[in-house]
């Protein structure tokens, strides 16, 4: 055989050279030679092994050494090392305490390190000979990679659940000790030292916060040493990520979720993203460097020199953004409601969405929240509109392309179309800046013209091509991006119905109600609102409203001119003269006024006909406002009521007692409606019903009756002077009149 030939040039026989090389590369126990007296592998120095290798090279057998080394390692791993390693870990069932289980894991990896140390030492020799060209490596990959792959394949081809549990427990405890040593990591930078001490004071009186053992039995130092040794072994065998990645991922994910929730949940006014990024880098990544780089600071090794740490950094940064985005998406309804105070939270969420691509999650979550918390009958229309306005502002900050707003708020727009009072609420908000509608009033003051279906602009019309921004992929391709981005709040509200005429007609009705309900000739605020609306909707659209305000001013002048010739009378009449074709249809009701009132109205008509030749007046007796002073035996009341209320009480000037049927016949008012009107005088303590359907004046106030404030009937106060849809079918009057009664000297 070739192995029996001699090599005289090196002074070694081939057999001796092989014996020396084999005994120097692998442990003698793996060869079964411990009792042969040949000595251990450590007795040979590198020069001796190099001489033996030269002998093999002369016979062309140098490649056999590397193949033989890999085969012996594989056999030793399968028969001896792997069995001993797992025998250690099977003792876990007998380990009661965590400290015992930690010591067991440490012993297992310490044994593994001792058994593989000779192979790793020999691996260095083989790598040196390969670099020198003495041995040629066959196949892809380096020899070291092949050794590591073999160790992984044999030892950890499959791992049992108890092993994963003990690894997770081991790294959890190591991280807990690290956290305990850095209280800032556990409690956040915003917690001061006093709060931190109070938070854990009760526990730390008895147990160590790091290892959770009694303070006199603290084993933190031992745990840190075991942690360092196990990591060193795993790192040297290139097993660190394979063994610890799952446990470390679970631990750090939980830590990030808890920290983000504790620091940021419910806090919308401050930006936290930069603070969280600094915390992640200085605390979490610092611990990872201890695990993967065997160092205590990332400053000792740049991210470029450690691809492993860099991969973990990227993964954890992404997870941080994802956790923060998940939390803010869950809270987005509240964030929108609190806007603009919550602007900082929206800016953070915008950054996260750019990095995590969670737009679809946001769309589905916010749509569900709106439908659950907003779009149901229990929410007032005004509240729905208010939150929709906040959504427009907030989502424009989050997504300047307005695509999120368009998709998420489409159900809100459809729902508002089903509400009968939506248009009225919007118009009231535009014109009534004294009742919590400052958002719409401020928007109206900007005086930007409204463009709807006929006002589309193409994206190609932009003056500067550099300003063009593509729409997101979930944008509606049938709508222009520039048009979507330029839409303001009023434009979006008006576009709910797609027509300006509906809002203009509603404003006419609202304006008429305000003028006739308050019966005031002071229209400064209404003129201001009208001018702003003309800038928004165009002058032609607002012409009818302009005539309505002109009627108010003309009525004031006519009243002043007519009353110049009046003598002192107990009944003072003012009229609101309206141009019927320009006003919305008015409510029609029958009412027979007292004779003295009709005489005053006839006198006013004659003076008007004298002043305005070829014109006359057509009175609406049931509409208007009456100021009365009622003199009773022991008191005088001053009230402001509707004409039907005034006609009722004036009827009692002739007799102090009257039945309901008599009043109905005299006033031409149905009995049901009349009873509802009489209730006002019963509330004021002026009339009483005794017996049923018979009413009597109360001259002297009852002693047991509580004092009441004199108020207009709440039922009447909310009534509109405008006609209903059915009433509008009747022919409109060209010239109509409202009146205001003056003082009545006495009602007994």
């Amino acid at each position: 055989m070739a192995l029996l030939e001699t090599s005289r040039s090196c002074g070694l026989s081939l057999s001796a050279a092989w014996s020396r090389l084999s005994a120097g590369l692998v442990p003698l126990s793996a060869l079964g030679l411990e009792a042969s007296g040949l000595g251990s592998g450590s007795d040979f120095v590198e020069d001796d092994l190099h001489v033996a290798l030269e002998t093999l090279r002369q016979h062309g057998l140098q490649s056999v050494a590397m193949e033989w080394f890999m085969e012996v390692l594989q056999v030793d791993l399968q028969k001896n090392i792997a069995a001993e390693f797992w025998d250690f870990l099977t003792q876990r069932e007998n380990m009661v305490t965590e400290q015992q289980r930690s010591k067991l894991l440490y012993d297992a990896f310490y044994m593994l390190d001792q058994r593989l140390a000779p192979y790793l030492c020999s691996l260095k020799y083989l790598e040196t000979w390969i670099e020198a060209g003495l041995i040629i490596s066959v196949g892809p990959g380096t020899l070291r990679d092949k050794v590591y792959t073999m160790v992984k394949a044999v030892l950890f081809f499959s791992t049992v659940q108890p092993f994963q549990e003990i690894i997770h427990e081991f790294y959890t405890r190591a991280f807990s000790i690290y956290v305990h040593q850095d209280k800032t990591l556990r409690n956040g930078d915003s917690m001061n030292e006093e709060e931190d001490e109070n938070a854990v004071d009760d526990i730390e009186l008895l147990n160590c916060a790091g290892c959770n053992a009694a303070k006199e039995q603290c084993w933190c130092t031992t745990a840190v040493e075991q942690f360092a040794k196990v990591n060193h072994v795993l790192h040297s065998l290139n097993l660190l990520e394979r063994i610890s990645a799952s446990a470390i991922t679970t631990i750090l994910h939980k830590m990030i979720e808890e920290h983000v929730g504790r620091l940021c949940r419910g806090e919308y006014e401050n930006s936290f993203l930069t603070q969280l990024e600094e915390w992640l880098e200085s605390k979490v990544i610092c611990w990872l460097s201890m695990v993967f780089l065997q160092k205590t600071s990332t400053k000792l090794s740049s991210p470029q020199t450690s691809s492993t740490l860099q991969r973990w950094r990227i993964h954890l940064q992404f997870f941080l953004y994802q956790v923060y985005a998940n939390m803010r998406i869950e809270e987005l309804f509240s964030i929108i409601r609190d806007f603009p105070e919550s602007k900082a939270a929206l800016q953070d969420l915008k950054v996260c969405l750019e990095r995590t691509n969670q737009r679809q999650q946001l769309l589905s979550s916010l749509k569900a929240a709106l439908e659950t918390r907003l779009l149901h009958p229990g929410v007032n229309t005004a509240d729905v509109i208010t939150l929709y306005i906040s959504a427009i502002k907030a989502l424009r900050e989050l997504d300047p392309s307005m695509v999120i707003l368009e998709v998420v708020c489409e159900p809100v727009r459809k729902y508002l179309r089903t509400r009968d009072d939506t248009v009225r609420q919007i118009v009231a908000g535009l014109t009534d800046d004294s009742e919590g509608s400052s958002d719409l009033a401020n928007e109206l003051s900007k005086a930007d013209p409204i463009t709807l279906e006929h006002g589309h602009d193409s994206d190609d019309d932009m003056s500067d091509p550099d300003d063009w921004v593509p729409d997101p992929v979930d944008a509606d391709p049938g709508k222009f991006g520039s048009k979507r981005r330029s839409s303001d709040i009023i434009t979006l509200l008006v576009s709910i119905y797609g027509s300006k005429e509906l809002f203009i007609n509603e404003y006419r009705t609202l304006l008429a109600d305000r003028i006739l309900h308050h019966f005031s000739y002071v229209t400064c605020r209404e003129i201001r609102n009208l001018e702003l609306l003309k800038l928004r909707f165009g002058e032609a659209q607002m012409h009818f409203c302009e005539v309505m305000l002109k009627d108010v001013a003309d009525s004031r002048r006519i009243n002043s001119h007519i009353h110049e010739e009046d003598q002192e009378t107990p009944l003072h009449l003012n009229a609101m003269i309206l141009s019927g074709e320009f006003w919305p249809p008015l409510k029609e009701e029958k009412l027979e006024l007292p004779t003295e009132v009709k005489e005053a109205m006839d006198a006013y008509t004659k003076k008007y006909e004298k002043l305005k030749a070829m014109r006359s007046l057509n009175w609406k007796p049931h509409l208007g406002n009456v100021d009365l002073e009622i003199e009773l035996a022991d008191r005088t009341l001053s009230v402001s009521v509707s004409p039907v209320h005034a006609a009722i009480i004036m009827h009692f000037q002739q007799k102090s007692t009257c039945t309901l049927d008599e009043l109905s016949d005299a006033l031409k008012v149905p009995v049901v409606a009349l009873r509802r009107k009489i209730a006002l005088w019963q509330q004021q303590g002026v009339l009483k019903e005794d017996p049923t359907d018979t009413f009597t004046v109360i001259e002297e106030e009852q002693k047991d009756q509580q004092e009441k404030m004199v108020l207009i009937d709440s039922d009447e106060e909310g009534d509109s002077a405008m006609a209903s849809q059915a009433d509008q079918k009747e022919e409109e009057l060209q010239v109509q009149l409202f009146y205001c009664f003056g003082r009545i000297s006495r009602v007994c």
Side-chain angles (χ1 to χ4, degrees), residues 99-138:
Q99 186 175 0
Q100 291 175 331
R101 293 189 293 273
S102 179
K103 179 64 166 59
L104 178 67
L105 186 68
Y106 167 78
D107 291 341
F109 279 102
Y110 180 78
M111 180 277 299
L112 184 64
D113 181 51
Q114 294 297 312
R115 292 299 306 271
L116 292 178
Y119 292 103
L120 296 179
C121 181
S122 300
L123 180 61
K124 295 179 181 179
Y125 296 153
L126 293 172
E127 288 177 328
T128 302
W129 296 339
I130 291 173
E131 291 178 2
L134 301 178
I135 300 177
I136 299 176
S137 179
V138 179

Side-chain angles (χ1 to χ4, degrees), residues 529-557:
N529 288 337
L530 178 60
E531 293 300 321
L532 291 173
L533 288 170
K534 284 164 64 176
L535 294 173
R536 278 274 179 175
F537 296 100
E539 292 195 20
Q541 301 278 359
M542 307 304 298
H543 176 62
F544 281 20
C545 299
E546 204 167 13
V547 173
M548 292 166 62
L549 292 178
K550 184 178 181 297
D551 285 344
V552 176
D554 291 344
S555 298
R556 180 173 56 184
R557 288 193 298 270

Side-chain angles (χ1 to χ4, degrees), residues 95 97-108 166 169-170 173 219 222-223 226-227 230:
M95 302 295 105
T97 66
E98 180 184 348
Q99 186 175 0
Q100 291 175 331
R101 293 189 293 273
S102 179
K103 179 64 166 59
L104 178 67
L105 186 68
Y106 167 78
D107 291 341
I166 196 171
E169 183 182 51
F170 180 79
R173 180 57 57 201
W219 57 285
T222 303
Q226 293 173 350
F227 171 72
V230 170

Side-chain angles (χ1 to χ4, degrees), residues 85-86 152 155-164 242-243:
F85 178 78
W86 289 109
K152 290 179 185 179
L155 280 177
F156 303 106
F157 174 73
S158 63
T159 57
V160 295
Q161 185 64 26
F163 176 72
Q164 297 295 338
R242 171 68 177 81
I243 300 300

Side-chain angles (χ1 to χ4, degrees), residues 455-657:
H456 289 300
D457 296 323
S458 171
D459 286 342
D460 297 333
D461 295 336
M462 299 180 65
S463 57
D464 188 356
D466 293 336
D467 293 337
W468 180 80
V469 177
D471 285 337
V473 294
D474 49 358
D476 185 351
K479 297 183 179 180
F480 291 108
S482 60
K483 178 65 180 176
R484 186 190 304 109
R485 286 187 285 268
S486 63
S487 299
D488 64 0
I489 293 175
I490 297 179
T491 301
L492 291 170
L493 288 173
V494 173
S495 66
I496 290 175
Y497 293 91
S499 172
K500 296 185 287 187
E501 282 70 21
L502 191 63
F503 285 84
I504 294 170
N505 291 336
E506 184 62 38
Y507 174 68
R508 283 180 62 211
T509 303
L510 184 64
L511 177 62
D513 255 346
R514 285 180 179 170
I515 292 173
L516 302 179
H517 182 73
H518 298 293
F519 208 89
S520 172
Y521 298 110
V522 180
T523 58
C524 297
R525 191 182 70 175
E526 300 300 341
I527 291 174
R528 173 185 175 274
N529 288 337
L530 178 60
E531 293 300 321
L532 291 173
L533 288 170
K534 284 164 64 176
L535 294 173
R536 278 274 179 175
F537 296 100
E539 292 195 20
Q541 301 278 359
M542 307 304 298
H543 176 62
F544 281 20
C545 299
E546 204 167 13
V547 173
M548 292 166 62
L549 292 178
K550 184 178 181 297
D551 285 344
V552 176
D554 291 344
S555 298
R556 180 173 56 184
R557 288 193 298 270
I558 292 171
N559 282 319
S560 299
H561 185 78
I562 290 177
H563 292 316
E564 287 177 357
E565 303 175 4
D566 283 351
Q567 298 177 355
E568 190 67 28
T569 60
L571 193 148
H572 185 77
L573 187 70
N574 284 323
M576 186 74 74
I577 303 171
L578 314 178
S579 303
E581 65 270 23
F582 293 98
W583 285 69
L586 304 178
K587 186 183 296 183
E588 293 289 344
E589 292 179 5
K590 291 183 179 181
L591 175 64
E592 186 70 23
L593 295 174
T595 303
E596 57 192 290
V597 177
K598 291 192 290 185
E599 291 174 352
M601 294 168 66
D602 292 339
Y604 189 99
T605 301
K606 292 179 181 180
K607 293 178 182 179
Y608 178 81
E609 291 173 348
K610 181 180 177 181
L611 180 64
K612 299 285 187 179
M614 304 299 292
R615 294 186 183 182
S616 186
L617 298 175
N618 191 350
W619 296 83
K620 294 294 181 182
H622 61 289
L623 299 174
N625 197 32
V626 183
D627 292 331
L628 287 177
E629 187 172 283
I630 304 174
E631 295 181 0
L632 300 169
D634 61 346
R635 65 197 186 282
T636 299
L637 300 178
S638 295
V639 293
S640 180
V641 293
S642 68
V644 65
H645 287 112
I648 291 170
I649 201 62
M650 290 181 71
H651 191 77
F652 284 90
Q653 289 185 111
Q654 308 301 325
K655 54 181 181 179
S656 60
T657 301

